[in-house]
Amino acid sequence: MRHLVITIVAAFLLLIAGCSSNSGSENFTVAAATSTDAKINVQIVKSLIEDKTDHTVEIVEDLPASPQIFAGIERSEFDIASLYSGEVYNNYFDDVEYTTDQEETLKKAQTLFGEEYDIKWYDSIGFINNYSIAVKENFAQKNNVDTITDLKEYAGELTLGTDNAWIERENDGYEGFQETYGFKFADARGMDVSLMYEGIASGELDVVTAYTVDPQIIERNLKVLEDDKQFFPPYESSLVATNEVVENYPKINEILESLVGTISTEQMTDLMHKVNIGGQEIQDVATGYLQEQGMLD
């Protein structure tokens, strides 16, 4: 009997030891949509967490848009994600006062999304990925087009290429654009972003809704027109995490906080150029950047 008791106790102690050794290691899921900058963000998060903790990170990317990310957060499928402050105006909340002020927009996103989805919305990682209207440089020079208002005279003969979400959105989408600037294009086509840039290069498109960090703006010799009526809201890139993660894993919170203000718009454009134009793997680009910044142990 005595030997049986000893055996049971020993087995119990081994079980506790096993549980204890595994309790410090968790797997976190990080989400991103289709944009390259968001994919770079989440790869940076993965590299840092796995370098500085015993935790592992699974990346879920190429989600169609932010609604799928927020739905995943609500279902506890995602722990961390890469999002933009301007999302706050995309029909998530009733009676949100629309503004293009950068600081106010970020505060609205932090407060409203924080309360609605029980998340911490961190200050910006440092860069802005706004929508913009871009045309070919030679078209702009030939027709003396510098602002979006200057485009009104020619819009009735031009074809616009944009992502599908922009056509459907209200506040800062195509409908709101027409109300603000008082014109629409002869045709507006929703498509994948890569096809959008190919289309304007081939001449199938005349105008595109470029993102301000896209290296294709330089590569395709495009001119971003001045938003002279300040229509487009700021899309500051931020990381978000569920409050459960923030409260229970202070090291994860510390890592995410450390990324605030670390990547400028120019730096992200350079990183995206390496991926989209140079053909490098996102993991290699993210790791290389962190090593250059001295952020990896």
Side-chain angles (χ1 to χ4, degrees):
M1 182 68 179
R2 181 171 175 268
H3 291 296
L4 178 60
V5 172
I6 292 174
T7 301
I8 293 173
V9 171
F12 180 72
L13 290 174
L14 285 171
L15 178 61
I16 292 175
C19 291
S20 177
S21 64
N22 292 328
S23 62
S25 178
E26 297 287 348
N27 182 65
F28 296 94
T29 303
V30 186
T34 58
S35 59
T36 301
D37 58 304
K39 294 179 184 179
I40 292 173
N41 281 351
V42 297
Q43 184 59 58
I44 284 174
V45 170
K46 174 181 172 70
S47 297
L48 283 177
I49 290 177
E50 292 185 345
D51 180 67
K52 298 182 180 299
T53 74
D54 294 329
H55 305 308
T56 56
V57 173
E58 176 187 357
I59 291 176
V60 176
E61 58 187 24
D62 286 322
L63 294 163
S66 57
Q68 286 72 34
I69 293 178
F70 285 115
I73 290 173
E74 280 192 307
R75 293 192 298 264
S76 300
E77 295 173 354
F78 305 143
D79 304 296
I80 302 167
S82 176
L83 291 164
Y84 306 95
S85 59
E87 303 278 3
V88 75
Y89 303 121
N90 293 341
N91 302 316
Y92 288 101
F93 308 102
D94 296 330
D95 302 322
V96 179
E97 185 177 353
Y98 182 77
T99 176
T100 57
D101 183 270
Q102 187 171 313
E103 186 176 346
E104 285 187 34
T105 297
L106 178 60
K107 287 181 179 178
K108 290 178 189 295
Q110 290 175 323
T111 300
L112 295 174
F113 282 121
E115 293 173 352
E116 180 71 17
Y117 295 97
D118 195 25
I119 59 175
K120 177 176 179 178
W121 189 292
Y122 292 82
D123 285 345
S124 173
I125 201 169
F127 67 90
I128 299 177
N129 193 6
N130 283 7
Y131 276 105
S132 62
I133 298 295
V135 297
K136 287 184 176 179
E137 185 70 48
N138 57 5
F139 173 87
Q141 291 179 357
K142 178 182 178 181
N143 298 288
N144 196 30
V145 172
D146 294 307
T147 69
I148 295 177
T149 295
D150 292 338
L151 203 59
K152 182 175 183 177
E153 180 181 347
Y154 311 97
E157 300 175 355
L158 304 178
T159 297
L160 169 74
T162 182
D163 63 74
N164 291 301
W166 194 73
I167 290 180
E168 298 170 358
R169 280 150 56 162
E170 295 180 6
N171 286 322
D172 65 336
Y174 191 34
E175 182 180 338
F177 176 87
Q178 293 175 64
E179 293 175 1
T180 299
Y181 277 99
F183 68 85
K184 65 179 181 178
F185 298 99
D187 189 18
R189 304 175 185 174
M191 62 189 67
D192 183 80
V193 174
S194 61
L195 296 177
M196 180 180 76
Y197 286 113
E198 290 176 11
I200 196 168
S202 68
E204 293 182 16
L205 303 174
D206 306 297
V207 187
V208 294
T209 53
Y211 302 112
T212 51
V213 294
D214 283 350
Q216 291 94 329
I217 292 173
I218 300 171
E219 194 73 15
R220 302 296 189 180
N221 198 28
L222 304 181
K223 179 181 177 65
V224 173
L225 303 181
E226 178 189 347
D227 182 12
D228 51 310
K229 294 192 176 182
Q230 297 183 327
F231 168 71
F232 292 110
Y235 270 67
E236 286 191 278
S237 177
S238 295
L239 298 170
V240 307
T242 64
N243 283 324
E244 180 181 359
V245 169
V246 172
E247 294 165 5
N248 295 329
Y249 299 92
K251 184 62 178 178
I252 301 294
N253 178 56
E254 180 184 326
I255 290 170
L256 298 180
E257 285 282 11
S258 75
L259 287 168
V260 169
T262 57
I263 306 178
S264 68
T265 300
E266 293 74 19
Q267 286 173 316
M268 180 52 75
T269 298
D270 180 61
L271 295 178
M272 291 176 66
H273 189 279
K274 292 177 180 179
V275 175
N276 292 347
I277 310 300
Q280 296 184 39
E281 295 293 328
I282 289 177
Q283 181 178 357
D284 296 336
V285 170
T287 301
Y289 177 77
L290 290 171
Q291 289 173 339
E292 289 173 5
Q293 302 300 313
M295 298 177 72
L296 286 180
D297 290 338

